[in-house]
Amino acid sequence: MKFFRARSQVWGMAVVCASLCLTACGPIYKTDYTYIPPEDSASRQCLNQCLGMQADCRARAEDRATRENTACQQNAMVNYSVCLATAKTEADRNRCSASSYCNRQPDLSPCDADYRACYRNCGGTIISQQRCISGC
């Protein structure tokens, strides 16, 4: 009985691993948007406010990413200094690395989603279309 239980657990794990692998290899889609502005001038003024809000949101996201990259680089230098200070041998010092991968990109997706909502609320029309960009 234990043999069959262990065998079914192994089989279950194999199925889970296989499904994860197949899911990871699936197609990747990108959504393209076509913006159709409203006709009246009041709605167009509203759209200008949407653009201003989007620009502010993007600037805040970029500032946040810059601050996070700066903090990452500072932490890397602190870690390097600590590594050098605690190294007991030359070989230990050679293993210390001053480099760190600090490449935080701003997350602009909330800004774009809010812009699309604002655009629609001002009377504009947005047509979305998904296209496959990888693994098609």
Side-chain angles (χ1 to χ4, degrees), residues 16-119:
V16 169
C17 288
S19 64
L20 286 175
C21 288
L22 290 174
T23 303
C25 298
I28 298 173
Y29 293 93
K30 180 183 185 296
T31 304
D32 294 322
Y33 297 97
T34 302
Y35 294 85
I36 303 169
E39 297 294 325
D40 62 292
S41 61
S43 295
R44 287 181 184 255
Q45 287 177 343
C46 180
L47 293 181
N48 285 334
Q49 291 176 343
C50 296
L51 285 171
M53 291 180 351
Q54 183 188 38
D56 290 344
C57 180
R58 285 174 169 254
R60 284 191 309 273
E62 288 170 4
D63 287 345
R64 186 172 32 258
T66 299
R67 284 192 312 274
E68 289 173 0
N69 282 327
T70 300
C72 176
Q73 291 166 353
Q74 289 172 344
N75 286 338
M77 289 309 297
V78 167
N79 291 339
Y80 178 65
S81 298
V82 168
C83 182
L84 288 176
T86 59
K88 296 187 181 350
T89 66
E90 188 63 30
D92 289 343
R93 279 187 280 287
N94 289 338
R95 282 191 284 269
C96 296
S97 174
S99 66
S100 180
Y101 185 71
C102 301
N103 190 22
R104 171 82 164 133
Q105 297 297 312
D107 181 11
L108 302 177
S109 57
C111 304
D112 296 339
D114 289 348
Y115 175 74
R116 287 190 298 274
C118 185
Y119 196 95

